[in-house]
């Protein structure tokens, strides 16, 4: 009886101690959360300001102090932006160009990566080093010769100038997928080989299904990279109807530089769909990018 | 068919598309850039060989010097601050509740088009009605500067935008690196009475150094490629105060049609990036700590 009582007292004391300790630890925890909330706000406010400024009119936008919300909301700004420039067309262009590049890269990169990882052919290592070295060459360095080559092909001001080079070449994609193919045990392909399967069957039936996560990561990176690319479209394209979303937005800015409401609603139109996709798939996108360390 | 020959055929069959791409859109353009840098060519009339004249011209060209200086300054302004802030954020997020939610916010600018980011920040940084100056006025009673039209502020302003856009990217790489550090080190040091700050400097920083090296190389290369923000926000102005290397080679080629001179600027940019990467990798031996 006596011992049970002392025991419960020590338990109580212990609980009190841990409680005090956790209270004590929580103060830095709260400060940490406060700092993180402020930092997150710094990340979100520009987006918030873009959306709300885009729904104000010219008299509201210049108010000091500024208003948090448009009063009233000018939804017609969205319509004005959409009619000022063919954003719908730009969306279609960006979407189909990006999708074709993703499909192209998944196919060609996985093929090359499979060969580099699993087939022994002459000059394999030399060729692989050639691919690796290209990782060091920024697109800005080769842009002038590339421009001249595409001009000779007659591809300038055509979507081919964006689709073909990116579909047929990605040193990064080859490197990334090769790493994954290397991780697949040799026995797997060898036993299939003994059973009479040819390399094409091994590649399609055995290897591709095993590297799905890497294919998903490459797809995300290739998509974001081509969707957001500005450097190539601004140099290769000249007809408004062929513009991609970033190029359309930049041209739009050149025309309406003083009309901030229209510029912000235009930016909102350009950004929101991508952000919605990002919010829905953020886990895959962030993890895919972390896995590879490339922004696209 | 013997297996060796079959392997050769299959191997080249599989790499064929990428090999054609490598040659046509990367390797040949790279070699051509070097060749082109020794030519005087406008894209129409016959090219003439000028040896190193284009490089000589570049180093005496005030525009090139300005572009070089601005790019170096931009790199200095963005890389250390960007890496420090993203490391700090990653450490803060590492063991905190609602990490996924915070990470979501920090990563938002990374997936956003650089053109849209540039336009939104033009409005935020607007000297008269931009949110930043309006807040400075209403909260602190200070009259904010003309961020984007002031000769000395324009580059730091662009650097700010670049840091803001890139912080989430570096942060997720650091977070991945932090996940790889065993908790044992922290527990053992806690028993020995180490403080949080000691743990940060003695455990986190050294064990994270491979990631830091990787992030630094990417950040330096990225800072040398800056173009989109300068093009959209300031057109390289005012008075070329935000004129960068890539902007310079873009203008030479696609505004002035001086392909040879542009290629020489591109070759110089390439060599700088190459040398910086090699140097960083070489000197990393001194400070990068590779765990077993």
């Amino acid at each position: 009886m006596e011992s049970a009582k002392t025991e419960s007292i020590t338990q109580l004391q212990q609980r009190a101690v841990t409680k005090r300790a956790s209270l004590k630890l929580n103060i830095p925890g709260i400060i940490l959360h406060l700092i993180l909330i402020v930092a997150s706000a710094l990340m979100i406010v520009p987006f918030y300001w873009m959306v709300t400024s885009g729904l104000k009119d010219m008299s509201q936008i210049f108010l000091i102090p500024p208003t948090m919300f448009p009063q009233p909301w000018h939804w017609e700004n969205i319509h004005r932006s959409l009619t000022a420039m063919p954003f719908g067309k730009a969306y279609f262009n960006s979407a189909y160009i990006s999708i074709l590049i993703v499909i192209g890269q998944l196919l060609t990169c996985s093929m090359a990566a499979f060969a580099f990882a699993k087939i022994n052919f002459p000059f394999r290592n030399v060729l692989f080093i050639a691919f690796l070295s290209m990782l060091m060459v920024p697109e800005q360095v080769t842009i002038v010769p590339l421009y001249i080559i595409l001009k000779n092909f007659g591809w300038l001001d055509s979507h081919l100038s964006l689709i073909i080079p990116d579909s047929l070449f990605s040193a990064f994609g080859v490197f990334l997928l090769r790493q994954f193919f290397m991780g697949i045990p040799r026995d797997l392909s060898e036993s299939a080989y003994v059973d009479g399967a040819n390399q094409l069957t091994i590649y399609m039936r055995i290897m591709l299904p095993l590297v799905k996560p890497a294919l998903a990561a490459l797809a995300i990176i290739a998509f974001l990279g081509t969707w957001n690319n500005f450097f190539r479209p601004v140099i290769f394209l000249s007809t408004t109807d062929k513009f991609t979303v970033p190029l359309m937005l930049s041209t739009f800015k050149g025309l309406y530089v003083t009309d901030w409401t229209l510029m912000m609603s235009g930016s909102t139109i350009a950004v929101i769909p991508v952000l919605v996709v990002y919010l829905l798939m953020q886990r895959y996108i962030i993890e895919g990018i972390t896995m590879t360390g490339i922004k696209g | 068919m013997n297996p060796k020959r079959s392997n050769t055929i299959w191997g080249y069959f599989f790499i064929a598309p990428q090999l054609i791409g490598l040659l046509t859109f990367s390797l040949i353009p790279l070699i051509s850039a070097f060749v082109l840098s020794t030519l005087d060519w406008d894209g129409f009339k016959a090219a003439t060989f000028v040896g190193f004249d284009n490089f000589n011209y570049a180093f005496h060209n005030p525009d090139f010097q300005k572009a070089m200086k601005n790019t170096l300054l931009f790199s200095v302004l963005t890389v250390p601050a960007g890496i420090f802030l993203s490391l700090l954020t990653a450490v803060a997020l590492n063991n905190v509740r609602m990490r996924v939610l915070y990470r979501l916010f920090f990563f938002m600018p990374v997936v956003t088009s650089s053109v849209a980011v540039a336009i939104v920040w033009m409005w935020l940084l607007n000297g008269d009605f931009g949110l930043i100056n309006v807040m400075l006025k209403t909260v602190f009673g200070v009259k904010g500067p003309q961020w984007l039209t002031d000769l000395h502020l324009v580059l730091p302003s662009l650097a700010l935008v670049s840091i803001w856009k890139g912080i989430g990217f570096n942060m997720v790489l650091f977070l991945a690196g932090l996940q790889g550090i065993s908790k044992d080190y922290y527990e053992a040091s806690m028993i020995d009475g180490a403080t949080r700050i000691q743990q940060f400097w003695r455990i986190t920083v050294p064990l994270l150094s491979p990631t830091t090296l990787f992030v630094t190389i990417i950040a330096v290369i990225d800072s040398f490629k800056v173009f989109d923000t300068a093009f959209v926000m300031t057109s390289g102005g005012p008075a070329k105060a935000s004129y960068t290397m890539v902007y310079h080679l873009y203008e030479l080629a696609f505004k002035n049609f001086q392909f040879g001179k542009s290629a020489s600027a591109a070759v110089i940019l390439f060599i700088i990036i190459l040398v910086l990467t090699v140097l960083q990798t070489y000197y990393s031996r001194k400070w990068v700590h590779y765990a077993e």
Side-chain angles (χ1 to χ4, degrees):
Chain A
M1 184 70 184
E2 188 67 24
S3 72
K5 203 176 173 185
T6 23
E7 208 178 78
S8 69
I9 286 170
T10 22
Q11 265 177 356
L12 273 175
Q13 280 174 334
Q14 254 168 8
R15 217 173 294 155
V17 168
T18 40
K19 200 176 173 189
R20 211 176 303 150
S22 68
L23 273 178
K24 218 173 176 180
L25 276 177
N26 258 341
I27 293 164
I30 290 165
I31 294 170
L32 186 64
H33 274 288
L34 282 177
I35 294 170
L36 284 172
I37 288 166
V38 171
S40 304
L42 290 176
M43 292 288 134
I44 299 165
V45 164
F47 289 101
Y48 173 80
W49 207 240
M50 168 186 80
V51 175
T52 52
S53 299
L55 297 172
K56 290 176 178 175
D57 65 16
M58 288 298 249
S59 63
Q60 297 172 25
I61 208 167
F62 294 132
L63 278 179
I64 294 176
T67 49
M68 281 282 282
F69 300 104
Q71 295 160 334
W73 298 71
H74 288 271
W75 295 103
E76 75 275 8
N77 284 354
I78 301 278
H79 182 71
R80 277 207 302 149
S81 296
L82 283 170
T83 46
M85 280 295 242
F87 272 110
K89 185 83 179 135
Y91 253 100
F92 174 76
N93 292 340
S94 279
Y96 104 88
I97 290 171
S98 305
I99 289 169
L100 284 183
I101 289 174
V102 167
I103 295 171
Q105 274 195 20
L106 288 181
L107 180 70
T108 62
C109 291
S110 66
M111 283 171 66
F114 167 70
F116 281 126
K118 296 291 174 197
I119 303 176
N120 227 328
F121 58 91
F123 304 112
R124 181 177 75 166
N125 293 341
V126 178
L127 287 170
F128 186 63
I129 288 169
F131 272 91
L132 273 190
S133 326
M134 285 304 155
L135 281 173
M136 293 282 304
V137 185
E139 64 173 340
Q140 288 80 355
V141 170
T142 52
I143 194 74
V144 172
L146 185 61
Y147 175 86
I148 294 164
I149 289 171
L150 295 173
K151 192 178 171 189
N152 283 324
F153 286 174
W155 289 353
L156 287 184
D157 199 27
S158 143
H159 289 152
L160 290 175
S161 65
L162 302 173
I163 298 167
I164 304 294
D166 269 351
S167 300
L168 280 188
F169 181 68
S170 167
F172 164 73
V174 173
F175 175 68
L176 173 77
L177 295 180
R178 178 182 169 271
Q179 294 297 98
F180 278 82
F181 282 124
M182 293 294 274
I184 300 171
R186 219 156 237 288
D187 316 1
L188 215 59
S189 50
E190 262 163 24
S191 58
Y193 195 71
V194 170
D195 289 346
N198 66 25
Q199 299 284 16
L200 195 62
T201 321
I202 295 173
Y203 160 77
M204 289 203 300
R205 292 284 167 78
I206 300 173
M207 292 296 175
L208 276 189
L210 289 173
V211 293
K212 270 187 199 155
L215 292 175
L218 180 61
I220 287 163
I221 290 158
F223 187 86
L224 281 177
T226 47
W227 182 279
N228 287 336
N229 192 314
F230 177 64
F231 194 63
R232 287 189 182 194
V234 79
I235 290 169
F236 296 158
L237 302 180
S238 45
T239 311
T240 316
D241 259 1
K242 292 173 182 159
F243 283 4
T244 58
V245 174
L247 185 54
M248 191 68 82
L249 192 56
S250 153
T251 314
F252 183 72
K253 180 235 131 193
L255 294 172
Y256 299 97
V257 72
T258 49
D259 189 344
W260 288 106
T261 59
L262 210 54
M263 293 230 305
M264 288 306 114
S265 59
S267 302
T268 308
I269 293 168
V271 161
I272 291 299
V274 180
L275 281 185
V276 170
V277 174
Y278 164 67
L279 292 179
L280 294 175
M281 298 180 50
Q282 59 99 8
R283 212 199 155 102
Y284 303 100
I285 292 173
I286 295 177
E287 276 162 20
I289 287 174
T290 313
M291 187 158 88
T292 56
I294 288 283
K295 258 178 266 202
Chain B
M1 195 155 55
N2 72 47
K4 204 175 162 194
R5 219 177 123 208
S6 144
N7 271 345
T8 307
I9 292 168
W10 279 117
Y12 281 93
F13 165 75
F14 277 111
I15 69 164
Q18 280 283 321
L19 190 59
I20 292 166
L22 169 83
L23 293 173
T24 323
F25 304 120
S26 193
L27 197 58
I28 291 172
L30 180 63
I31 295 164
S32 311
F34 279 87
V35 175
L36 207 52
S37 70
T38 64
L39 300 178
D40 180 22
W41 194 39
D42 64 356
F44 297 102
K45 69 170 181 7
T48 45
F49 179 76
V50 293
F52 284 102
D53 279 7
N54 286 333
F55 291 94
N56 202 17
Y57 170 84
F59 288 116
H60 291 96
N61 179 4
D63 282 358
F64 176 87
Q65 291 167 354
K66 189 104 200 169
M68 183 66 108
K69 213 184 89 194
N70 286 340
T71 308
L72 285 172
L73 183 59
F74 182 80
S75 190
V76 169
L77 287 170
T78 50
V79 176
I83 287 180
F84 181 70
L85 286 174
S86 42
L87 174 60
L88 224 55
T89 326
V91 171
L93 281 196
N94 194 28
N95 285 315
V96 88
R97 268 189 216 170
M98 302 192 294
R99 188 171 85 207
V100 176
L101 187 66
Y102 287 125
R103 194 180 68 169
L104 177 83
F105 297 143
F106 282 103
F107 207 75
M108 253 163 71
V110 180
V111 295
T112 307
S113 142
S114 52
V115 176
V117 166
I119 294 175
V120 171
W121 277 92
M122 275 175 80
W123 172 226
L124 291 170
L125 290 167
N126 182 283
D128 304 315
F129 300 102
L131 183 63
I132 290 172
N133 279 1
V134 168
M135 290 309 270
L136 284 175
K137 183 93 194 162
T138 42
V139 179
F140 301 104
V142 185
K143 192 183 180 311
Q146 297 287 329
W147 300 99
L148 296 174
T149 49
D150 183 294
L151 283 177
H152 302 288
L153 284 176
V154 63
L155 216 49
S157 302
L158 295 190
L160 173 82
V161 177
S162 167
I163 291 171
W164 178 83
K165 189 173 188 323
I167 212 166
F169 175 71
N170 296 335
M171 183 200 74
V172 297
L173 294 182
F174 277 129
L175 270 174
L178 287 171
Q179 298 290 316
I181 301 176
S182 161
K183 293 239 184 323
D184 299 353
Y185 294 111
Y186 295 99
E187 278 163 16
S189 68
M190 217 152 87
I191 291 165
D192 292 343
T195 64
R196 287 276 178 117
I197 291 167
Q198 281 173 325
Q199 284 182 335
F200 176 77
W201 287 111
R202 300 287 171 83
I203 300 172
T204 311
V205 169
L207 287 179
L208 205 58
S209 53
T211 311
T212 313
L213 172 67
F214 180 67
V215 172
T216 311
I217 290 177
I218 295 181
V220 169
I221 293 177
D222 255 15
S223 71
F224 273 85
K225 295 194 297 195
V226 57
F227 173 76
D228 300 4
T229 36
F231 183 87
V232 175
M233 292 177 79
T234 59
S235 308
K240 307 227 161 180
S242 59
Y243 190 68
T244 64
M245 282 289 282
V246 173
Y247 210 130
H248 182 58
L249 72 87
Y250 167 83
E251 282 219 330
L252 283 178
F254 305 109
K255 290 274 174 294
N256 308 349
F257 292 97
Q258 297 175 313
F259 287 136
K261 291 190 171 71
S262 174
S264 71
V267 165
I268 295 168
L269 179 70
F270 177 56
I271 291 170
I272 293 173
I273 289 177
L274 204 65
V275 168
L276 281 175
T277 313
V278 170
L279 279 181
Q280 285 181 78
T281 318
Y282 181 78
Y283 280 106
S284 70
R285 284 177 208 168
K286 288 189 180 156
W287 58 274
V288 172
H289 173 103
Y290 291 100
E292 55 285 308

